[in-house]
């Protein structure tokens, strides 16, 4: 019912910046919250940041002060602005939406932080 298409990602140097985008289509107005998750090989997908329809925002401690999550007024796209990137931020990043009927996932995009 909700399709999520991601863009952005790539290779950046430590200390650099990168912005991820996630465009939602379908029942966009049924979405109560959206978020960004990341996963390294051999690990489970973990929450990075989330934002509710009311504007409440939460970040994992590892990215506080460096990452900013936001949504356009229409609810889409979703953004993740990543500043002062560190090698430990390297992962596949996924966007997520939550509605009353369930959740949807983007296709994932690789972010690599390396000199």
């Amino acid at each position: 019912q909700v399709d999520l298409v991601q863009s952005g990602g790539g290779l950046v140097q430590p200390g650099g910046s990168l912005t991820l985008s996630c465009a939602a289509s379908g029942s966009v107005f049924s979405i109560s919250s959206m978020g960004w998750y990341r996963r390294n090989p051999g690990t489970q997908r973990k929450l990075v940041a989330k934002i509710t329809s009311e504007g409440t925002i939460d970040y994992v401690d590892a990215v506080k002060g460096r990452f900013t999550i936001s949504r356009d007024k229409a609810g889409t796209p979703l953004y993740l602005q990543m500043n002062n990137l560190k090698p430990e931020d390297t992962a596949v990043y996924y966007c997520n939406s939550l509605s009353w009927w369930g959740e949807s996932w983007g296709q994932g995009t690789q972010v690599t932080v390396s000199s």
Side-chain angles (χ1 to χ4, degrees):
Q1 191 172 357
V2 174
D3 293 322
L4 303 177
V5 179
Q6 299 178 220
S7 61
L11 174 64
V12 297
Q13 295 183 343
S17 298
L18 195 64
T19 299
L20 305 180
S21 298
C22 178
S25 62
S27 302
V28 175
F29 296 107
S30 73
I31 297 173
S32 59
S33 68
M34 298 188 73
W36 291 96
Y37 292 71
R38 64 188 182 187
R39 176 161 56 192
N40 296 117
T43 68
Q44 293 188 346
R45 188 157 45 193
K46 298 180 180 179
L47 177 69
V48 177
K50 65 179 180 181
I51 182 170
T52 71
S53 59
E54 291 74 32
T56 301
I57 295 174
D58 290 303
Y59 298 98
V60 68
D61 287 344
V63 308
K64 287 182 178 178
R66 300 189 297 118
F67 290 11
T68 302
I69 188 172
S70 63
R71 296 173 69 184
D72 278 4
K73 188 174 182 178
T76 183
L78 174 74
Y79 304 99
L80 185 66
Q81 175 65 51
M82 302 181 289
N83 297 322
N84 192 25
L85 283 160
K86 303 176 180 180
E88 50 263 45
D89 295 319
T90 296
V92 177
Y93 285 71
Y94 300 85
C95 66
N96 166 269
S97 69
L98 178 65
S99 301
W100 68 268
W101 46 265
E103 63 181 1
S104 298
W105 293 95
Q107 78 275 22
T109 183
Q110 178 71 47
V111 172
T112 302
V113 185
S114 179
S115 59

